[in-house]
Every structure is written in structure tokens, then in C-alpha cells.
Amino acid sequence: MRRVLRYLAGVGIVVTGALPVHAQTAPGAWSTRQPAPMFLGSVPSGQATQEPLPLSILDAINRALDNNLGVLLSGDARGRAEGARWRAMGGLLPTVSGRVAETRQVIDLAAYGFPLPDGIPPIVGPFNLFDARVGITQPIVDLRAMNDVRAERHNVAAAGHTYQSARELVVLVAANAYLQALAAAARLDAAQAQLRSAQALFNQATDLKQNGLVAGIDVLRADVALSTEKQRVTAAANDFDKSRLQLGRVIGLPPGQDIRLMSELPTVPVPEIAFGDALERAYKSRPDYQAALERVKAAEATRAAAAGDNLPSLVVNADYGELVAPGNSHATYAITGAVHIPIFQAGRTRGRVIEAEMDLKSRRAEADDLRSAIYYDVKTAFMDLQAHGEQLQVATREREVAD
């Protein structure tokens, strides 16, 4: 909410530029980059009403937080990251399985090398064998699996920061769309006022001509000015209607729902904060930057996991069950401890390490770029606040003079 308050304090800030859509790129800098297309869409909710829906700026923000497509997709991405973490944890947790089997078989003892006395037939069976068994596998030391879990934990943290950043960006987008609609309404009011003025001048010129006080050319000029103002009113009304449609699209209004804007805006003072303090605060609290740092840590863990393929791993396997044969039944079990030592993997491990190193390099570059972008964001915001504050004073003075 702090971002929209800062935005409302400098209402003339207009987002420009471009923000690429990427699965690993958090919704970015809010003051100098344009939101990704998914933040301009929504999932409509509710049914359209016959009467126009009164809508304040806080209502628009709350609806956007519930229905905006960017927030919904970011929430789904956070859930997928959590699922990936659980999948990675499976490499460290015990695996328990059960097996029930019944076999009918014939065994040739001589084929297995059993020495048999004369008169003993080598063929045994057919007979039935029933086996009910529970097996368990527990990794004891597996550095790759441990680093995979660590990487997914950082990915979950990054997804959480990305979700928070998406919510803050949606606040900005919804507030921006609402203010643009208010500005379009104000331009329509101004155009209608100019039209009424042009109509009055045309009526006046017509009356003066009828009384022989002015020439016909003055009536023609007034008629041309009146036609021009009618065109401006038509264009302004069209812009206003389109801005309302865009606002409804962002906040998830049902199709066909008419809205009535509440022109009262909360009074938000300009924050008293120095540029250095604001920059340091942005580095610590911006969720998109925190997400970038978490992705760097995840890439470091992934690289360590890839290097772990060359290290030994220790696994314990155990099973216990009941083996039932004709006339005999007995519990059997087995416990095995195995050390897996990689010797030659034909370059697969080296390939994974190289890929992980390049991914780590990219993540560090993205984090450094975002840190630089934050500086320009904060600097631009301070410049815009100062410039638009002065413009607001001039506009207020002009209105007072006009009154």
C-alpha cells in the first residue's frame, strides 16, 4: 500500500518502457517499467448489474488484488515452487513400499548346481509361494539431494517475494487505471464546458447578425468553432468510455458492468524522506530485488548439487516380510548398506556443472541489473515528485485565477 500512496502523492508519474515477461523475472520496477500484459488482464467475478456500480479507488485496488490475472498466476507459481521443494525433499526422506506376490513355480535343482544323491529327483514342484513384504530405502549421505533441497527452499522464498511484488504492482496498475479514468472524465467535463461556451458564442453571433450588428462571416466562424468543440466532446467521451473499460478489465469486473467513479481521492502527503534513506530502504524491502537475491542463492545450491554427482553417496535398504511355501512359513528380512561411488559418467556431470555455472552467472547479472534499476527508479520518483508538485501548485493557482 505504501507504493500506491507514494504514487498518489506524485499523480503525474506515468509508467513507460518495457518489462519482459519471463518465468524467472519478478514483476519489476514500478516507476519506470510498464507492467507485463498479464497484469492488464483479470478473471471476471460476479454478475453485471443494471445500475452503475459506484467505485472508489480503494474498491478498485481490492478487486484487483482478488481478480487480477498477474496476482493469480504469481500465486500459482508460488504453489508450484512449494511442490518442487517437496519433490526435492523426497531424495532425503525414507521411501517405504509394500509388495504382495504369489508365485507358482517349478525349480530344477541340478540347474542351480545342487549335488543330489541318486534317487532324488532334481525337479521340485510345481508348488505355490506366497510373499508379503515391506521395504524401506533411506539415503544417509547424498550431497546432491541435500543441495537440491536447499536450492528449492530458495526458489520457494523467491516465489514468495515475487508474489508480494505482483500484489504491489497490481496496486499500482489498478490505481493508475483508476486515475487515468478520472483524468479522462475531467477532460470530458472540460470539453463539454468548451462546447457550451462555443454554443453561447454562436447564439450570440446569430442574434447580433439578425440585428445587423455583425457580418455573416462572424456567424460562420462561430459555427466552425462549435463544430470543432462537438468533435472534441465526442473524442473525449470515447476516451472516457475506453478508460472505464480498461479499468474494469484490470480489476475483474463482469463484462457489461457499468461503473460510476467516485472523484474523491484521499489526501496523501509527500513522504518526508531523503534520497539516500529511500534508496537504502528500497534495497532492503523491494520484494523483486529480494526475489532476485534468492534466485542467486538457489543457483549456487544447484551448482553445488551438480558437483555432488561426483561424490560418493550412502544408502541403506531394508525389507521384511513373510515367505509362505507349502507346509512352511517363516519371516525373512534383509538389510543392505551400499556406498555408491561414481567413477566414469561420460561427461554428464561436467555438463550439468557448466549449465549450473552459466545459470548462476545469469542470475547474478539479473540481480546486479535490478539493483541498478532500483537506483534509477528511486531517483526518477524523487524528480517526478518535485516536478509534479510544482505543476500542481501552478495548476491550483490557475484555477483560483479562473474562479
Side-chain angles (χ1 to χ4, degrees), residues 249-278:
R249 182 80 175 94
V250 168
I251 66 178
L253 290 179
Q257 176 64 62
D258 192 15
I259 59 176
R260 177 169 55 85
L261 302 180
M262 311 295 291
S263 59
E264 295 81 6
L265 291 176
T267 301
V268 181
V270 177
E272 296 293 338
I273 185 172
F275 171 76
D277 296 337

Short mmCIF file of all heavy atoms in Angstrom, two decimals, residues 249-278:
data_model
loop_
_atom_site.label_atom_id
_atom_site.label_comp_id
_atom_site.label_asym_id
_atom_site.label_seq_id
_atom_site.Cartn_x
_atom_site.Cartn_y
_atom_site.Cartn_z
N ARG A 249 -11.36 -4.17 -16.90
CA ARG A 249 -10.56 -5.32 -17.30
C ARG A 249 -9.46 -5.62 -16.30
O ARG A 249 -9.15 -6.78 -16.02
CB ARG A 249 -9.93 -5.01 -18.68
CG ARG A 249 -9.10 -6.15 -19.24
CD ARG A 249 -9.97 -7.20 -19.87
NE ARG A 249 -9.14 -8.21 -20.51
CZ ARG A 249 -8.76 -9.35 -19.92
NH1 ARG A 249 -9.14 -9.61 -18.67
NH2 ARG A 249 -8.02 -10.22 -20.56
N VAL A 250 -8.87 -4.60 -15.73
CA VAL A 250 -7.78 -4.79 -14.77
C VAL A 250 -8.28 -5.35 -13.45
O VAL A 250 -7.62 -6.22 -12.86
CB VAL A 250 -7.04 -3.45 -14.55
CG1 VAL A 250 -6.09 -3.55 -13.36
CG2 VAL A 250 -6.26 -3.06 -15.80
N ILE A 251 -9.44 -4.91 -13.00
CA ILE A 251 -9.90 -5.28 -11.65
C ILE A 251 -10.88 -6.44 -11.66
O ILE A 251 -11.35 -6.85 -10.59
CB ILE A 251 -10.52 -4.07 -10.94
CG1 ILE A 251 -11.81 -3.62 -11.64
CG2 ILE A 251 -9.53 -2.92 -10.86
CD1 ILE A 251 -12.50 -2.46 -10.94
N GLY A 252 -11.22 -6.99 -12.83
CA GLY A 252 -12.05 -8.19 -12.87
C GLY A 252 -13.53 -7.95 -12.78
O GLY A 252 -14.26 -8.79 -12.23
N LEU A 253 -14.04 -6.84 -13.30
CA LEU A 253 -15.48 -6.62 -13.33
C LEU A 253 -16.12 -7.53 -14.37
O LEU A 253 -15.51 -7.85 -15.40
CB LEU A 253 -15.79 -5.17 -13.67
CG LEU A 253 -15.46 -4.12 -12.60
CD1 LEU A 253 -15.80 -2.73 -13.09
CD2 LEU A 253 -16.17 -4.41 -11.29
N PRO A 254 -17.37 -7.97 -14.16
CA PRO A 254 -18.03 -8.80 -15.17
C PRO A 254 -18.27 -8.01 -16.44
O PRO A 254 -18.49 -6.79 -16.39
CB PRO A 254 -19.35 -9.20 -14.48
CG PRO A 254 -19.57 -8.16 -13.43
CD PRO A 254 -18.21 -7.74 -12.97
N PRO A 255 -18.23 -8.64 -17.61
CA PRO A 255 -18.47 -7.93 -18.87
C PRO A 255 -19.84 -7.25 -18.86
O PRO A 255 -20.83 -7.82 -18.43
CB PRO A 255 -18.40 -9.05 -19.92
CG PRO A 255 -17.57 -10.12 -19.29
CD PRO A 255 -17.89 -10.06 -17.83
N GLY A 256 -19.86 -6.03 -19.36
CA GLY A 256 -21.10 -5.27 -19.43
C GLY A 256 -21.43 -4.48 -18.18
O GLY A 256 -22.47 -3.79 -18.15
N GLN A 257 -20.58 -4.54 -17.16
CA GLN A 257 -20.85 -3.81 -15.92
C GLN A 257 -20.46 -2.34 -16.08
O GLN A 257 -19.30 -2.02 -16.34
CB GLN A 257 -20.09 -4.44 -14.76
CG GLN A 257 -20.24 -3.69 -13.44
CD GLN A 257 -21.66 -3.70 -12.92
OE1 GLN A 257 -22.22 -4.74 -12.65
NE2 GLN A 257 -22.26 -2.53 -12.79
N ASP A 258 -21.43 -1.44 -15.90
CA ASP A 258 -21.16 -0.01 -15.94
C ASP A 258 -20.69 0.43 -14.56
O ASP A 258 -21.08 -0.15 -13.54
CB ASP A 258 -22.40 0.76 -16.36
CG ASP A 258 -22.09 2.22 -16.69
OD1 ASP A 258 -20.88 2.53 -16.86
OD2 ASP A 258 -23.03 3.03 -16.74
N ILE A 259 -19.83 1.44 -14.51
CA ILE A 259 -19.29 1.92 -13.24
C ILE A 259 -19.46 3.43 -13.14
O ILE A 259 -19.57 4.13 -14.15
CB ILE A 259 -17.80 1.54 -13.08
CG1 ILE A 259 -16.96 2.15 -14.22
CG2 ILE A 259 -17.62 0.04 -13.02
CD1 ILE A 259 -15.48 1.89 -14.07
N ARG A 260 -19.50 3.87 -11.91
CA ARG A 260 -19.55 5.31 -11.62
C ARG A 260 -18.38 5.63 -10.71
O ARG A 260 -18.27 5.12 -9.60
CB ARG A 260 -20.88 5.68 -10.96
CG ARG A 260 -20.98 7.15 -10.56
CD ARG A 260 -22.42 7.49 -10.17
NE ARG A 260 -22.90 6.62 -9.12
CZ ARG A 260 -22.70 6.82 -7.81
NH1 ARG A 260 -21.99 7.87 -7.41
NH2 ARG A 260 -23.20 5.98 -6.92
N LEU A 261 -17.46 6.46 -11.20
CA LEU A 261 -16.25 6.77 -10.45
C LEU A 261 -16.55 7.75 -9.33
O LEU A 261 -17.33 8.70 -9.49
CB LEU A 261 -15.19 7.36 -11.39
CG LEU A 261 -14.77 6.49 -12.58
CD1 LEU A 261 -13.73 7.22 -13.41
CD2 LEU A 261 -14.23 5.15 -12.11
N MET A 262 -15.92 7.50 -8.19
CA MET A 262 -16.01 8.42 -7.05
C MET A 262 -14.81 9.35 -7.13
O MET A 262 -13.66 8.91 -6.99
CB MET A 262 -15.99 7.64 -5.74
CG MET A 262 -16.98 6.47 -5.70
SD MET A 262 -18.70 6.99 -5.78
CE MET A 262 -18.86 7.78 -4.19
N SER A 263 -15.05 10.60 -7.38
CA SER A 263 -13.95 11.53 -7.67
C SER A 263 -13.16 11.92 -6.43
O SER A 263 -12.08 12.50 -6.54
CB SER A 263 -14.49 12.80 -8.34
OG SER A 263 -15.44 13.43 -7.50
N GLU A 264 -13.68 11.59 -5.24
CA GLU A 264 -12.95 11.97 -4.03
C GLU A 264 -11.74 11.06 -3.84
O GLU A 264 -11.86 9.85 -3.76
CB GLU A 264 -13.85 11.88 -2.79
CG GLU A 264 -15.01 12.86 -2.80
CD GLU A 264 -16.18 12.37 -3.63
OE1 GLU A 264 -16.10 11.21 -4.10
OE2 GLU A 264 -17.13 13.14 -3.83
N LEU A 265 -10.57 11.65 -3.78
CA LEU A 265 -9.34 10.92 -3.56
C LEU A 265 -8.80 11.24 -2.18
O LEU A 265 -8.91 12.38 -1.71
CB LEU A 265 -8.29 11.26 -4.61
CG LEU A 265 -8.58 10.78 -6.04
CD1 LEU A 265 -7.49 11.28 -6.97
CD2 LEU A 265 -8.65 9.27 -6.10
N PRO A 266 -8.21 10.25 -1.51
CA PRO A 266 -7.63 10.54 -0.20
C PRO A 266 -6.46 11.50 -0.31
O PRO A 266 -5.68 11.46 -1.27
CB PRO A 266 -7.18 9.16 0.30
CG PRO A 266 -7.00 8.35 -0.94
CD PRO A 266 -8.01 8.84 -1.92
N THR A 267 -6.35 12.37 0.66
CA THR A 267 -5.23 13.31 0.70
C THR A 267 -3.99 12.59 1.22
O THR A 267 -3.98 12.08 2.33
CB THR A 267 -5.56 14.51 1.60
OG1 THR A 267 -6.73 15.16 1.09
CG2 THR A 267 -4.40 15.50 1.61
N VAL A 268 -2.98 12.54 0.42
CA VAL A 268 -1.76 11.81 0.76
C VAL A 268 -0.60 12.79 0.73
O VAL A 268 -0.27 13.35 -0.31
CB VAL A 268 -1.50 10.66 -0.22
CG1 VAL A 268 -0.24 9.91 0.18
CG2 VAL A 268 -2.69 9.73 -0.28
N PRO A 269 0.03 13.06 1.86
CA PRO A 269 1.16 13.99 1.87
C PRO A 269 2.39 13.37 1.22
O PRO A 269 2.55 12.15 1.19
CB PRO A 269 1.39 14.25 3.36
CG PRO A 269 0.90 13.01 4.03
CD PRO A 269 -0.27 12.52 3.21
N VAL A 270 3.25 14.23 0.71
CA VAL A 270 4.50 13.76 0.14
C VAL A 270 5.40 13.24 1.28
O VAL A 270 5.57 13.92 2.29
CB VAL A 270 5.21 14.90 -0.61
CG1 VAL A 270 6.56 14.43 -1.15
CG2 VAL A 270 4.33 15.41 -1.74
N PRO A 271 5.92 12.02 1.16
CA PRO A 271 6.73 11.46 2.26
C PRO A 271 7.98 12.28 2.51
O PRO A 271 8.67 12.69 1.57
CB PRO A 271 7.06 10.05 1.77
CG PRO A 271 6.92 10.11 0.29
CD PRO A 271 5.85 11.11 0.01
N GLU A 272 8.28 12.50 3.77
CA GLU A 272 9.48 13.22 4.16
C GLU A 272 10.61 12.21 4.34
O GLU A 272 10.76 11.60 5.39
CB GLU A 272 9.23 14.00 5.46
CG GLU A 272 8.18 15.10 5.34
CD GLU A 272 8.64 16.24 4.43
OE1 GLU A 272 9.88 16.38 4.25
OE2 GLU A 272 7.79 16.95 3.88
N ILE A 273 11.40 12.01 3.31
CA ILE A 273 12.49 11.04 3.36
C ILE A 273 13.57 11.50 2.40
O ILE A 273 13.30 12.01 1.32
CB ILE A 273 11.98 9.62 2.99
CG1 ILE A 273 13.09 8.60 3.17
CG2 ILE A 273 11.39 9.58 1.60
CD1 ILE A 273 12.61 7.17 3.02
N ALA A 274 14.82 11.34 2.83
CA ALA A 274 15.95 11.72 1.99
C ALA A 274 16.20 10.66 0.93
O ALA A 274 15.80 9.50 1.07
CB ALA A 274 17.20 11.91 2.84
N PHE A 275 16.87 11.07 -0.14
CA PHE A 275 17.11 10.15 -1.25
C PHE A 275 17.95 8.96 -0.81
O PHE A 275 17.64 7.81 -1.15
CB PHE A 275 17.81 10.90 -2.39
CG PHE A 275 18.28 9.99 -3.48
CD1 PHE A 275 17.38 9.45 -4.38
CD2 PHE A 275 19.63 9.67 -3.60
CE1 PHE A 275 17.81 8.60 -5.40
CE2 PHE A 275 20.06 8.83 -4.61
CZ PHE A 275 19.15 8.29 -5.51
N GLY A 276 18.99 9.19 -0.04
CA GLY A 276 19.83 8.09 0.40
C GLY A 276 19.07 7.09 1.25
O GLY A 276 19.23 5.87 1.11
N ASP A 277 18.24 7.60 2.18
CA ASP A 277 17.45 6.70 3.02
C ASP A 277 16.44 5.91 2.18
O ASP A 277 16.22 4.71 2.42
CB ASP A 277 16.72 7.51 4.09
CG ASP A 277 17.69 8.18 5.06
OD1 ASP A 277 18.84 7.68 5.18
OD2 ASP A 277 17.31 9.20 5.66
N ALA A 278 15.82 6.58 1.21
CA ALA A 278 14.86 5.89 0.36
C ALA A 278 15.53 4.80 -0.47
O ALA A 278 14.99 3.70 -0.65
CB ALA A 278 14.16 6.89 -0.55
#
